[in-house]
Each structure stands twice: as structure tokens, then as C-alpha cells.
Amino acid sequence: EDQVTQSPEALRLQEGESSSLNCSYTVSGLRGLFWYRQDPGKGPEFLFTLYSAGEEKEKERLKATLTKKESFLHITAPKPEDSATYLCAAITGTASKLTFGTGTRLQVTL
Amino acid sequence: EAGVTQSPTHLIKTRGQQATLRCSPISGHTSVYWYQQALGLGLQFLLWYDEGEERNRGNFPPRFSGRQFPNYSSELNVNALELEDSALYLCASSLGLAVETQYFGPGTRLLVL
């Protein structure tokens, strides 16, 4: 069965303190790895799609990378508005369903 | 461009009743997906509709069902509601290709009393 595991469950950073979130996956035939941001009570907001090992994508203070076993979301010099839950998800085969991890709750303080 | 819309935003039902949730995809998107996000749990895949057909189903009982209309909007029906059905129900849409990015709506919060 496909599994996506995220760590840590929660992370508290001070403004400007860079860090990385981890997403490890055990799936058969990864076809795409997705990162979303979710604010409390709202739907997930799309951030990045990665398709193959070695691929990297950047957007403002966020950078996503992909290896054969895991993905990292690097947050450089975070601001309080980056506080949210970050979700990673994988698509395998032709099923088109996203298998989600349980997320990392990020809190950035002044 | 308008995003995925869902209605209602909140729904309160009692155990045993039926709930109907609605979703309108992004214009041009033919695939609609439904996910359940229960408190403290991750998003769980429910259903995938494309071009009016059910293409895939998650590990949920048959009382969770739905349909997709000719204009690609979709409806999720939950029959014989149970307390544990209380959750945020999220709809997503995509262009319908197997690895296409799914864009989510704001969700419907269902509370079963």
C-alpha cells in the first residue's frame, strides 16, 4: 500500500530562521509529488509539482526538491505569514488519486 | 479566473439523515475529486469523476456516492449519516490527465449530531 510520511509533525521557527520539512514516500511507481499549503479551515493551496528525482522548484521563500525516496520543502528566512500546515502528496500509476501525508504544522514567530 | 467553488460552506445534520454537497470545478477542468479530512487525520481520497463517469473510488462504504453533471460540476451524497462522517469535505479539479495538478476548493464542513 502506498504511504507518505511527513516530519516533523510540528515546527516552530523564529522569523528568519531557515529550515526544511521532510516528506518520505513508499509507493509503487511515483508519477508526481505535490506540495500544498493549508490554512486552518480552508482548502489546500497548490505550491509545487515534482515529477522526477533531481528536480527542484522555487517560489519566493520556498524551494522543493525530490529524490528517489523523499522530498524536501526548504523554507528560507521565513516570515509569520508562512505559518500554515504544509502537505505533501503522491500520485502513482493511473489511479489519479492523491495519497497525502498528515502534514507539518509550521509556526513562524517574530 | 474563478477557482473551485463548493456549497454549502457548513452543513449540520443528524445521524441517519442524508447530506448533499456540491462542487463546481475550474472552467475547462473535466475531472473532479472528492476528499475527506477528518479532525486530526490526513486527507483521504473518496471519489474521482471524469467526463461524467466514476473513474476511481477510495476505501469508503457505498453510502458515499456521487455524480458528475454534463457541465462537469459534481455532487457528493452521503446516506445514513454516522457521527464519524463529521469532517471537512474537499473537492478538487484538474484537466483530467493522470498526473495533472489538482486544485482544491474551500471545502464543506459537515457536522453530524
Side-chain angles (χ1 to χ4, degrees), chain B residues 9-103:
Chain B
T9 54
H10 293 81
L11 192 56
I12 300 175
K13 295 285 186 178
T14 56
R15 197 170 50 183
Q17 285 188 313
Q18 179 196 42
T20 298
L21 289 63
R22 296 180 177 84
C23 170
S24 291
I26 291 171
S27 177
H29 286 189
T30 63
S31 275
V32 170
Y33 312 81
W34 288 95
Y35 292 85
Q36 181 196 68
Q37 188 174 32
L39 197 62
L41 298 178
L43 278 82
Q44 301 292 320
F45 169 75
L46 269 165
L47 291 159
W48 169 33
Y49 292 95
D50 182 63
E51 298 285 359
E53 301 281 335
E54 183 181 302
R55 302 295 186 182
N56 197 10
R57 182 182 183 85
N59 295 325
F60 282 84
R63 56 192 187 82
F64 287 85
S65 65
R67 53 181 171 166
Q68 186 178 34
F69 300 99
N71 66 353
Y72 302 112
S73 67
S74 178
E75 195 173 86
L76 174 69
N77 294 295
V78 188
N79 293 318
L81 284 164
E82 300 179 1
L83 298 178
E84 53 264 33
D85 296 333
S86 295
L88 181 67
Y89 288 84
L90 292 158
C91 170
S93 75
S94 78
L95 287 170
L97 303 175
V99 201
E100 188 61 36
T101 298
Q102 297 178 21
Y103 296 89

Side-chain angles (χ1 to χ4, degrees), chain A residues 26-87:
Chain A
T26 308
V27 300
S28 51
L30 178 75
R31 301 192 62 190
L33 191 290
F34 300 80
W35 282 97
Y36 290 87
R37 167 195 169 126
Q38 186 175 28
D39 293 303
K42 297 189 176 181
E45 174 191 344
F46 170 71
L47 293 174
F48 302 108
T49 306
L50 302 165
Y51 292 104
S52 56
E55 192 173 357
E56 298 182 352
K57 296 260 178 89
E58 280 189 73
K59 179 181 177 181
E60 296 179 357
R61 295 178 292 283
L62 300 176
K63 179 180 175 181
T65 61
L66 182 65
T67 72
K68 288 186 178 179
K69 293 184 178 180
E70 56 195 349
S71 177
F72 294 93
L73 183 65
H74 308 279
I75 303 177
T76 302
K79 297 182 178 182
E81 52 263 41
D82 294 323
S83 298
T85 295
Y86 290 84
L87 301 168

